[in-house]
Amino acid sequence: MRELGTLSLLDALAYLELLHAASSPKLERAAIRWHGRLETEAQKLTLAESQLALAAVASLIAGERDALKILRGVLRGAKPTLLPRVS
């Protein structure tokens, strides 16, 4: 991932999905970093939304694939500053 340069939060969320599907041991660390980026890059994020995202991250790490839907929803509302990569 580092070779790709800076990824948008949406790209990074897709990476979490891949790690989850592969049952990768890297998932927990990557998910925690994703949440940290959400906190710093979000233009609009309430405390409740942040808590929801953190709970969804914990659920994803625990094996709940449906947590990705929640994370996508929070991300849409948060309006992060870094836009998705265009290919």
Side-chain angles (χ1 to χ4, degrees):
M1 295 305 292
R2 287 186 181 137
E3 294 171 3
L4 295 174
T6 303
L7 296 178
S8 71
L9 277 169
L10 188 58
D11 291 336
L13 187 56
Y15 178 63
L16 293 182
E17 188 170 7
L18 290 173
L19 292 176
H20 178 269
S23 299
S24 174
K26 295 179 180 183
L27 176 61
E28 183 170 359
R29 182 178 165 105
I32 291 168
R33 286 199 333 244
W34 184 90
H35 185 267
R37 283 190 59 196
L38 176 67
E39 292 285 334
T40 59
E41 295 178 23
Q43 293 179 20
K44 292 175 56 179
L45 187 68
T46 66
L47 180 59
E49 290 166 335
S50 176
Q51 289 174 326
L52 176 62
L54 188 56
V57 163
S59 292
L60 182 65
I61 293 167
E64 294 293 327
R65 189 178 191 292
D66 288 341
L68 290 163
K69 293 177 189 175
I70 295 169
L71 293 172
R72 283 188 195 99
V74 170
L75 185 56
R76 266 192 305 275
K79 303 197 183 311
T81 55
L82 184 61
L83 299 175
R85 295 168 58 112
V86 177
S87 39

